[in-house]
């Protein structure tokens, strides 16, 4: 199979409620990607998304689920639209009911 031309990067650490996490949409071989969209559970996270990062802050349990990104990959004579493979984000709740 061809390499994925778009990859959604999620930090490889436990994600806890209240944290800040940044999802990054990267083009294959660092090819430039424009007009990036992010999707959560296949729903377009609407809004003017400039750049290739989505910040989830503060993290909440409902942020869990599958994410993808999509964008125009600028490679060769004409850009094409590409969507990344899904990545599952799991947010872990704090122990007990109290916060800080």
């Amino acid at each position: 199979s061809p390499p994925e031309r778009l990859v959604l990067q999620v930090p490889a650490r436990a994600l806890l409620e209240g944290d800040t996490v940044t999802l990054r949409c990267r083009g294959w071989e660092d090819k430039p990607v424009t007009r990036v969209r992010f999707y959560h559970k296949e729903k377009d996270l609407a809004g003017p998304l400039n750049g290739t990062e989505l910040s989830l802050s503060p993290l909440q349990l409902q942020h869990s689920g599958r994410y993808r990104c999509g964008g125009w990959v600028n490679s060769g004579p004409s850009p094409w639209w590409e969507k990344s493979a899904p990545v599952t984000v799991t947010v872990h709740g704090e122990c007990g009911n109290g916060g800080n």
Side-chain angles (χ1 to χ4, degrees), residues 30-35 71-80:
D30 281 328
K31 299 217 179 339
V33 185
T34 56
R35 287 159 64 191
W72 290 93
V73 180
N74 295 294
S75 168
S78 55
W80 70 88

Side-chain angles (χ1 to χ4, degrees), residues 8 10-11 15 23 63-68 85-91:
L8 181 61
V10 177
L15 304 177
L23 310 184
H63 284 132
S64 293
R66 283 153 55 107
Y67 286 82
R68 294 176 186 257
V87 177
T88 298
V89 169
T90 304
V91 179

Side-chain angles (χ1 to χ4, degrees), residues 3 5 11 17-18 20 24 29 31 41 45 57 63 89 96 99:
R5 298 196 180 92
E17 240 183 324
T20 295
R24 294 187 60 210
E29 292 184 341
K31 299 217 179 339
K41 301 177 182 172
L45 299 176
S57 172
H63 284 132
V89 169

Side-chain angles (χ1 to χ4, degrees), residues 37-53:
R37 312 290 303 175
F38 289 91
Y39 303 87
H40 180 218
K41 301 177 182 172
E42 302 304 326
K43 180 174 173 283
D44 191 334
L45 299 176
L49 291 167
N50 300 320
T52 57
E53 297 188 346

Side-chain angles (χ1 to χ4, degrees), residues 5-25:
R5 298 196 180 92
L6 216 53
V7 177
L8 181 61
Q9 294 184 321
V10 177
R13 59 180 171 84
L15 304 177
L16 304 177
E17 240 183 324
D19 279 1
T20 295
V21 67
T22 300
L23 310 184
R24 294 187 60 210
C25 195

